[in-house]
């Protein structure tokens, strides 16, 4: 088995390797066999070799599906964070001596409620897992800006990873 690994190391050349054998998030480049005859020397090795390459393609496809799910989740999450940030900025801009404002807000996807919102210096944010915390408006704005920036960066990374995975599957 070690002889086979040595031949694999000698025969495989990674395509488009920049600073290592992975992309920036650790996804490995697909190996490229330059000369098949150097890698597979006997007929009995062909089936095992093809099986290992098929397993590798399956791993890339699995990573692709998971990354697509992350992209979909981020595409849903980013507009929600942006709307929340916009509302916090609106509340921050209100004058302290202004009267209560009547508004309609979403309780869930199909249920809305009316409320009278007086000028305030704090907001309550859902953090997830049924957790809501009170934040001063300026702190909430900073937190939401950080979360929005991180979500956008994650989305960009996921889209880059999807392109990378598609390239590895097809090459």
């Amino acid at each position: 088995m070690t002889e086979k690994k040595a031949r694999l190391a000698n025969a495989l050349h990674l395509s488009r390797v920049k600073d290592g054998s992975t992309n920036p998030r650790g996804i490995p480049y697909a190996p490229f066999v330059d000369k098949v005859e150097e890698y597979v020397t006997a007929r009995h090795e062909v089936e095992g070799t093809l099986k290992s390459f098929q397993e590798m393609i399956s791993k890339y496809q699995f990573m692709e599906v998971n990354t697509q799910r992350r992209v979909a989740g981020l595409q849903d999450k980013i507009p929600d964070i942006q709307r929340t940030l916009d509302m916090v900025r609106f509340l921050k801009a209100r004058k302290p001596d202004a009267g209560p404002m009547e508004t309609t807000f979403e309780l869930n996807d199909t249920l809305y409620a009316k409320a009278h919102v007086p000028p305030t210096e704090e907001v309550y944010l859902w953090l997830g897992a049924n957790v809501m915390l009170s934040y001063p408006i300026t702190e909430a704005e900073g937190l939401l800006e950080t979360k929005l920036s991180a979500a956008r960066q994650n989305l960009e990374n996921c889209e880059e990873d999807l392109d990378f995975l598609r390239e590895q599957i097809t090459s």
Side-chain angles (χ1 to χ4, degrees), residues 85 88-89 92 125 136-146:
L85 179 59
V88 167
R89 287 177 176 157
K92 182 180 177 182
L125 298 177
I137 286 184
T138 54
E139 192 176 324
E141 184 179 24
L143 175 71
L144 290 167
E145 286 171 347
T146 302

Side-chain angles (χ1 to χ4, degrees), residues 83 104-113:
R83 278 193 302 270
T104 304
F105 63 96
E106 182 179 6
L107 292 173
N108 70 20
D109 292 339
T110 59
L111 184 61
Y112 291 83

Side-chain angles (χ1 to χ4, degrees), residues 101-156:
M101 158 183 76
E102 184 176 315
T103 185
T104 304
F105 63 96
E106 182 179 6
L107 292 173
N108 70 20
D109 292 339
T110 59
L111 184 61
Y112 291 83
K114 284 188 179 181
H116 294 278
V117 181
T120 183
E121 293 298 318
E122 70 178 3
V123 293
Y124 292 82
L125 298 177
W126 284 107
L127 300 179
N130 295 325
V131 175
M132 179 186 274
L133 289 179
S134 171
Y135 287 94
I137 286 184
T138 54
E139 192 176 324
E141 184 179 24
L143 175 71
L144 290 167
E145 286 171 347
T146 302
K147 285 186 164 284
L148 183 60
S149 175
R152 286 180 174 154
Q153 183 61 50
N154 286 339
L155 180 60
E156 187 178 309

Side-chain angles (χ1 to χ4, degrees), residues 5 27 29 39 50 52 55 59 64 73-74 86 92 94 100 103 124 132:
K5 286 182 183 177
I27 301 172
Y29 282 86
Y39 181 65
L50 289 175
S52 69
E55 286 174 9
K59 289 176 186 178
E64 181 183 28
L74 288 166
D86 291 343
K92 182 180 177 182
R94 286 187 68 206
T103 185
Y124 292 82
M132 179 186 274

